[in-house]
Amino acid sequence: MTYEIQPAGSHYIDGAYVEDTAGAEIPVIYAATGERIATLHAATPAIVEQALVAAEKAQAEWAKLSPRERGRVLTHAAAIMRERNHDLSVLETYDTGKPLQETLVADATSGSDALEYFGGLAASLTGEHIPLGEDWVYTIREPLGVCVGIGAWNYPTQIACWKAAPALACGNAMVFKPSETTPLCALKVAEILTEAGAPAGLFNVVQGMGEVGASLVTDSRVAKVSLTGSVPTGRKVYAAAADGMKHVTMELGGKSPMLVFDDADIDNAVGGAILGNFYSSGQICSNGTRVFVQKGIKEAFLARLNERLKDAVIGDPLDEATSFGPMVSEQQMTIVQGFIEKGVAEGARLVAGGKRIDRDGWYLEPTVFADVTDDMTIAREEIFGPVMSVLDFDTEEEAIARANATEYGLSAGVFTSDLSRGHRVIGQLRAGSCFINSYNDAPVEAPFGGVKMSGVGRENSKAAIEHWSQMKSVYVRMGDVEAPF
Ligand code: NAD
């Protein structure tokens, strides 16, 4: 190993690395080889306390700066991140196992987009003047205070930045807990923010499992919790936050539909299905894992898909030619294998993949099931792995009804060359982040988030500002106060 992976401390608090070996050991395993590449420790209560105290102090100082000054720190951090994209991408690959071909364009780049966007927006976050004749009301957009971010393991840099950038732009401080599976990348985000001029304590990283997250969520000093994770965790975190009447953003799981009509450009639809099922080895919340294909083109779609799967380059994630890497962990691979077995047992037709790849690390083949029916486990439950379910349909009405028959509502996509149909169908699909003739684009300019069990609140875009700030209204009376007595 030539690359330095072990950080100077497990946590990053008050502008510096901190260690407390009394915390439970967190081994960091490189998914492509199964080797341990670093060892971190979960935060003890003393570490969590240190982080919250530092955040509270920094927030008071940060909120006093002009929004333009705050924005300048974020845009500076964006520039540093972009400059170091290569090293950050290599680290992201070690942390997650995702191919460098992806991490070079989707992680630190997306993180720096968020820092740049919200840094640019900071100075334009103003209140309103509301005339009431002689009197008036004005509003002030205020920060919430100390916020907590809790991350999933699939996009550790992006998740940290998608939460930190709008939070900090609005004048908040953050304590961020990465997933215990991918604890490394957020530490680099913290380092870069310090280097860019953020006050010590503004963005702190504490490591740990669920208990550490839970201790942050229940702390009375915390004003808001933003979680990216699964629905079961979301339920627990939302309930705990409700007890303290805290603001929440919940970015949770999905079982999103992609509808391919018989007038669609088949290559584009197949491309969308590949992106929406196999990018990051299928470990993406918004994936279109239920691919509804109109009966007339079903066999042509499957044939083209099979041809294109042969072009997947499966191998060493650090080789830029590799386009398909391992699952993040052995545990996740085992979960996905269980779903594949259920698919076969429940009668779906396995048309590609299905097996573990014979090499070190946690590699599964890109897997496609056809003739999947709505009641099968693989069509109902989030798999979070490289498993595509292809279902057939006859009519538009039927496809919409079946696409909506899920408790989730994160994303949805439509492939058709009939523009009216594209908009008509998307208008009826109950999902937060949708695509027409495309899949899984997530530019920072667009709101991102789900409906139904997939979550509450929105990340990215101007919409995120509403979730990281609050309005104070001030009534100003110009005349005398008239009281009844
Ligand atoms: P997870 O729910 O197991 O864990 C998410 C985070 O929550 C981890 O950091 C974990 O330590 C923490 N956590 C667990 N229990 C907690 C508790 N009681 N209190 C506070 N924190 C707790 O999810 P995961 O396996 O890391 O990630 C995969 C899931 O994340 C999938 O369901 C996926 O769809 C979802 N996800 C959603 C989005 C989105 O933006 N909507 C993005 C990526 C992943």
Side-chain angles (χ1 to χ4, degrees), residues 20-93:
D20 180 354
T21 51
E25 204 171 279
I26 302 178
V28 187
I29 308 292
Y30 181 38
T33 59
E35 287 175 272
R36 183 190 284 229
I37 52 170
T39 302
L40 273 63
H41 293 91
T44 53
I47 288 285
V48 170
E49 180 61 23
Q50 231 178 299
L52 287 167
V53 168
E56 214 171 19
K57 185 162 155 282
Q59 198 267 323
E61 190 186 327
W62 181 244
K64 281 189 209 137
L65 292 183
S66 77
R68 185 165 39 75
E69 288 172 292
R70 296 202 294 256
R72 195 182 298 145
V73 171
L74 299 185
T75 46
H76 187 188
I80 299 174
M81 199 171 264
R82 212 164 265 136
E83 242 171 61
R84 298 200 190 140
N85 183 45
H86 192 271
D87 283 0
L88 294 170
S89 303
V90 171
L91 186 68
E92 177 96 19
T93 290

Side-chain angles (χ1 to χ4, degrees), residues 150-155 158-159 162-163 177-181 208-215 217 227-234 236-237 240 250-254 283-286 332 382 384 408 410 448-450 454 459:
I150 300 178
W153 41 254
N154 57 345
Y155 278 77
Q158 184 188 81
I159 292 171
W162 281 17
K163 296 189 191 309
K177 191 201 84 64
S179 162
E180 56 274 32
T181 311
M209 325 334 169
E211 312 86 79
V212 172
S215 73
V217 173
L227 168 78
T228 298
S230 61
V231 170
T233 304
K236 284 189 229 163
V237 172
M250 293 282 143
E251 290 291 353
L252 308 177
Q283 302 164 115
I284 298 185
C285 50
S286 49
Q332 189 61 19
E382 184 183 46
F384 225 59
Y408 295 109
L410 187 50
F448 183 82
S454 291
E459 293 198 305

